[in-house]
Amino acid sequence: MEELVCDQEIAAEGEEESYFQDIDILQNHGINVADIKKLKSAGICTIKGIQMTTRKRLLAIKGISEGKVDKIKEASQKLSESGFLTALEYSDRRKMCFRVSTGSSELDKLMGGGVESMSITEAFGEFRTGKTQLSHTLCVTAQMPGNNGYGGGKVVFIDTENTFRPARLKEIADRFNLDHEAVLENVLYARAYTSEHQAELLDFVAAKFHEELGVFKLLVVDSIMALFRVDFSGRGELADRQQKLAQLLSRLQKISEEYNVAVFITNQMTADPGATMSFQADPKKPIGGHILAHASTTRLSLRKGRGEVRIAKIYDSPDMPESEASFALTAGGVADAKE
């Protein structure tokens, strides 16, 4: 019996290691250390990371020639299993997914347990609907052990609107009786100033996640579209904006799958001038168009209720029904609304 337990533990460790295959093992396949260093500087740190990167992007890395790209791609293909799994095998792999609580049991229930790892969860709404409060609450709840063996971990917060407030984290930490300094110590914060800077920060995030494997559990971007709205103006630059946005979202999705982290992004709304013609009840819609709509795995629509109450609705999800839940914004962050 003891041997069986030992075997299971060794198998679990093996799974974890095979999940995060370090890029350094390419040395055994004729790739030199200098080239591996160049890949790491571009935020590519695992074998899975190479598979997730196009040849075009690899060629853009300084000092990586076409011949080297072919060699690197060939070596990474040898190291990874073929692209197909049975649904049963994939179901086992999905067991590694965890969910981060939102601080409100009603909202958790609506989202099937919280913000899911290996996917992008988007919350959109007008100003004052609780998007940033939800982001702050998640920064604290992600550090606490949760359901189904979730052990808690560190958080990365990318702020594009200068709305991050450490004082809020302290208030939320008080609600859960957590130490202020420990909570703040576990949140890695970066302020992004342009859409390009936002994309560059993700390379650093990937390197950090690799440096401390399995330590980081949540990546928050508040908000995803603010800088794109500023950097690209008018219809003339729309195609370019959407392409850059698609690349950023693709990078986010890949990071979430590569390192098994939950990605939570917030988004703004815009008035739709054409809506009055089609007699829609609500003429506002989230910005980012179809690109953002398709990239987000789960989309939450937030709207104001009475007083401090806010209503969340599942707008789009691959595995959850469309329904609503109420939550309240309190001094201690997002909590259940009092009936």
Side-chain angles (χ1 to χ4, degrees):
M1 185 65 193
E2 280 178 10
E3 280 178 17
L4 181 67
V5 172
C6 270
D7 286 348
Q8 283 174 343
E9 279 177 10
I10 290 164
E13 276 175 25
E15 267 177 41
E16 187 75 11
E17 274 172 25
S18 70
Y19 190 77
F20 299 116
Q21 279 183 301
D22 200 299
I23 203 171
D24 290 331
I25 56 178
L26 286 178
Q27 282 181 45
N28 309 333
H29 294 261
I31 312 294
N32 67 42
V33 183
D35 290 340
I36 291 172
K37 225 172 189 174
K38 285 168 191 166
L39 291 173
K40 282 185 175 176
S41 69
I44 304 163
C45 306
T46 64
I47 298 301
K48 210 170 181 184
I50 292 172
Q51 291 175 309
M52 290 174 172
T53 310
T54 59
R55 286 173 188 273
K56 190 178 172 184
R57 183 158 180 254
L58 287 173
L59 282 169
I61 300 167
K62 206 174 177 185
I64 303 279
S65 65
E66 211 163 318
K68 282 178 183 172
V69 168
D70 292 339
K71 209 171 167 189
I72 289 165
K73 281 282 190 187
E74 198 180 313
S76 67
Q77 269 166 355
K78 279 181 195 166
L79 286 164
S80 56
E81 68 269 13
S82 69
F84 287 95
L85 301 166
T86 65
L88 184 64
E89 286 169 327
Y90 187 60
S91 156
D92 279 346
R93 188 168 286 191
R94 289 280 303 168
K95 284 177 187 167
M96 289 178 74
C97 284
F98 57 83
R99 289 181 184 267
V100 177
S101 168
T102 59
S104 157
S105 56
E106 284 298 308
L107 191 51
D108 283 349
K109 204 190 296 176
L110 176 78
M111 297 171 70
V115 178
E116 188 184 38
S117 73
M118 288 201 210
S119 66
I120 297 175
T121 304
E122 175 202 346
F124 65 83
E126 290 180 88
F127 61 94
R128 228 165 57 80
T129 50
K131 302 185 298 292
T132 299
Q133 296 308 314
L134 188 50
S135 304
H136 280 70
T137 308
L138 284 166
C139 283
V140 179
T141 54
Q143 299 179 36
M144 295 159 58
N147 301 331
N148 305 329
Y150 171 63
K154 291 186 178 181
V155 181
V156 172
F157 194 108
I158 295 175
D159 180 12
T160 66
E161 298 179 329
N162 194 24
T163 50
F164 180 74
R165 297 290 180 270
R168 271 306 282 141
L169 294 188
K170 289 179 183 176
E171 290 171 2
I172 298 164
D174 285 339
R175 170 185 161 196
F176 297 106
N177 299 320
L178 300 173
D179 178 57
H180 288 184
E181 281 189 15
V183 165
L184 296 183
E185 189 67 44
N186 287 333
V187 178
L188 203 59
Y189 168 79
R191 170 88 166 93
Y193 294 99
T194 66
S195 55
E196 283 173 13
H197 185 208
Q198 194 175 341
E200 284 161 15
L201 283 172
L202 290 186
D203 285 344
F204 173 78
V205 166
K208 194 71 186 162
F209 284 177
H210 178 260
E211 193 184 305
E212 300 182 43
L213 276 181
V215 172
F216 287 91
K217 300 293 183 187
L218 176 69
L219 168 60
V220 178
V221 185
D222 182 25
S223 81
I224 192 80
M225 285 299 300
L227 297 174
F228 284 94
R229 252 181 160 175
V230 176
D231 295 351
F232 299 90
S233 53
R235 286 275 166 99
E237 294 182 351
L238 186 63
D240 195 23
R241 182 191 90 167
Q242 291 302 84
Q243 191 186 8
K244 292 273 195 301
L245 174 64
Q247 287 166 353
L248 182 83
L249 291 164
S250 166
R251 187 90 176 97
L252 275 176
Q253 181 61 50
K254 286 168 183 171
I255 285 174
S256 76
E257 286 181 42
E258 193 178 343
Y259 299 104
N260 189 18
V261 293
V263 173
F264 180 78
I265 62 177
T266 67
N267 191 14
Q268 304 167 338
M269 302 280 277
T270 180
D272 183 5
T276 46
M277 308 295 285
S278 57
F279 304 105
Q280 280 178 346
D282 188 9
K284 291 178 292 294
K285 60 179 186 182
I287 57 174
H290 294 292
I291 296 251
L292 188 53
H294 291 305
S296 304
T297 319
T298 303
R299 304 189 89 190
L300 274 184
S301 161
L302 305 179
R303 65 178 197 272
K304 297 184 193 85
R306 191 178 297 147
E308 291 301 305
V309 174
R310 302 288 183 268
I311 297 131
K313 180 185 177 187
I314 294 277
Y315 195 77
D316 170 34
S317 167
D319 56 357
M320 282 171 291
E322 198 172 293
S323 57
E324 291 188 348
S326 300
F327 63 94
L329 301 180
T330 67
V334 169
D336 282 327
K338 293 181 180 74
E339 291 304 322

